């Protein structure tokens, strides 16, 4: 059972989240600055939760996060019910660990960028020209030439997001797997993707990069004109999400497979 004495409050800029914070949440306890906190309460939607988690990753101070959904989908959040009982709900919450992907992307100019992705890293064509990609897993070429709109690598936490929309598989949270999913593959046309152990190292090279430019997107962060991307799980940056009993992320992943 989590016991946190010092909590920080992070609120989305949306009108709905701001109104709720000013009306109920801001008066529930003596909130502290995030620099002094033991955990954070995130008010908003999935996008704001991802933004908040990325900020903690960038700053090197990762705290447990309890989300209250005042957005649209709220897959990473808890339901906004009985807001006056928020503190007792946090005390009863269950912790779930998720490890982000590390993305190292090299651009045509030779610059190297490193970002983290909690949901997925996607490579996408920038123009009308299809992308041509070489796909390597653990230093072995698995597809010499993938002609497509793009390809993505998703974590279990992100497998119900863009990955699912691209007809990728839903992965249980504790599966220790990754989903490598093509986006509108033209050749090989019948390749539907692959499920990989999460210890796998994936490298994707862009062929004919000047003629067929490709961008790399790690969750919400985009790098354009990439020539190579290397991906692997960043276990040293493991994140903790707090969920109400019965509404945990692993249950949501199972439930999502029975929605028609």
């Amino acid at each position: 059972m989590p016991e946190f004495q010092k909590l920080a409050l992070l609120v989305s800029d949306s009108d709905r989240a701001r109104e709720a914070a000013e009306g109920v949440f801001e008066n529930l306890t003596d909130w502290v600055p995030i620099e002094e906190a033991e955990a954070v309460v995130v008010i908003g939607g999935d996008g704001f939760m991802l933004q908040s988690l990325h900020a903690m990753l960038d700053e090197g101070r990762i705290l447990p996060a309890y989300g209250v959904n005042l957005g649209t989908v709220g897959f990473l959040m808890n339901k906004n019910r009985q807001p006056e009982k928020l503190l007792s709900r946090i005390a009863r919450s269950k912790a779930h660990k998720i490890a982000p992907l590390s993305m190292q992307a090299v651009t045509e100019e030779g610059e190297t960028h490193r970002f983290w992705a909690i949901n997925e890293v996607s490579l996408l064509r920038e123009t009308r020209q299809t992308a041509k990609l070489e796909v390597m897993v653990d230093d072995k070429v698995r597809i010499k030439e993938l002609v497509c709109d793009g390809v993505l690598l998703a974590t279990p936490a992100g497998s119900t997001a863009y990955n699912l929309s691209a007809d990728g598989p839903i992965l249980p949270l504790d599966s220790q797997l990754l989903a490598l999913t093509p986006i509108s593959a033209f050749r090989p046309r019948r390749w539907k993707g692959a499920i990989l152990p999460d210890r796998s190292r994936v490298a994707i090279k862009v062929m004919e990069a000047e003629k067929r430019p490709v961008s790399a997107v790690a969750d919400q962060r985009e790098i354009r004109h990439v020539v190579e991307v290397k991906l692997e799980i960043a276990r040293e940056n493991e994140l903790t999400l707090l969920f109400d009993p019965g509404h945990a992320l692993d249950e949501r992943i199972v439930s999502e497979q029975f929605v028609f």
Side-chain angles (χ1 to χ4, degrees), residues 7-217:
L7 295 170
L9 181 65
L10 304 178
V11 182
S12 166
D13 288 332
S14 73
D15 292 339
R16 187 182 175 198
R18 287 291 176 189
E19 289 172 4
E22 294 171 1
V24 179
F25 294 113
E26 288 183 351
N27 298 318
L28 289 178
T29 188
D30 293 326
W31 305 99
V32 302
I34 193 169
E35 296 79 13
E36 302 173 14
E38 300 169 343
V40 297
V41 175
V42 181
I43 310 296
D46 285 337
F48 186 64
M49 172 61 85
L50 288 174
Q51 178 182 327
S52 301
L53 294 173
H54 276 288
M56 289 191 285
L57 284 168
D58 291 343
E59 293 167 8
R61 188 166 187 269
I62 301 172
L63 302 174
Y66 181 96
V68 177
N69 186 30
L70 283 168
T72 306
V73 179
F75 194 78
L76 299 174
M77 317 295 279
N78 296 281
K79 292 182 179 178
N80 181 31
R81 54 187 176 85
Q82 298 179 305
E84 69 281 357
K85 296 184 179 180
L86 175 67
L87 300 182
S88 62
R89 289 171 60 191
I90 294 173
R92 297 193 306 271
S93 65
K94 295 182 178 181
H96 287 260
K97 303 287 187 179
I98 59 174
L101 285 166
S102 168
M103 178 188 81
Q104 181 175 294
V106 180
T107 68
E108 291 181 34
E109 292 76 21
E111 298 176 342
T112 299
H113 301 267
R114 186 179 182 187
F115 291 133
W116 291 273
I118 297 161
N119 278 351
E120 77 280 317
V121 170
S122 53
L123 275 71
L124 305 166
R125 65 184 176 98
E126 295 181 10
T127 68
R128 61 181 179 82
Q129 295 277 9
T130 56
K132 287 188 177 182
L133 308 172
E134 179 189 81
V135 179
M136 301 179 66
V137 179
D138 295 329
D139 300 320
K140 182 176 181 179
V141 176
R142 303 292 177 170
I143 302 180
K144 188 173 182 179
E145 184 179 270
L146 174 63
V147 183
C148 56
D149 281 353
V151 67
L152 64 86
L153 186 67
T155 67
S159 65
T160 58
Y162 191 7
N163 173 71
L164 181 59
S165 298
D167 292 327
I170 294 177
L171 303 176
L173 190 62
D174 59 356
S175 64
Q176 297 183 321
L177 298 171
L178 299 171
L180 182 63
T181 302
I183 302 169
S184 300
F186 177 71
R187 189 171 60 244
R189 193 183 297 273
R190 294 186 179 180
W191 186 63
K192 300 301 181 182
I195 297 175
L196 307 174
D198 69 357
R199 64 179 179 275
S200 301
R201 292 171 287 105
V202 177
I204 301 171
K205 293 183 179 179
V206 179
M207 305 168 67
E208 302 177 28
E210 292 187 6
K211 178 181 178 182
R212 305 171 185 272
V214 169
S215 65
V217 183

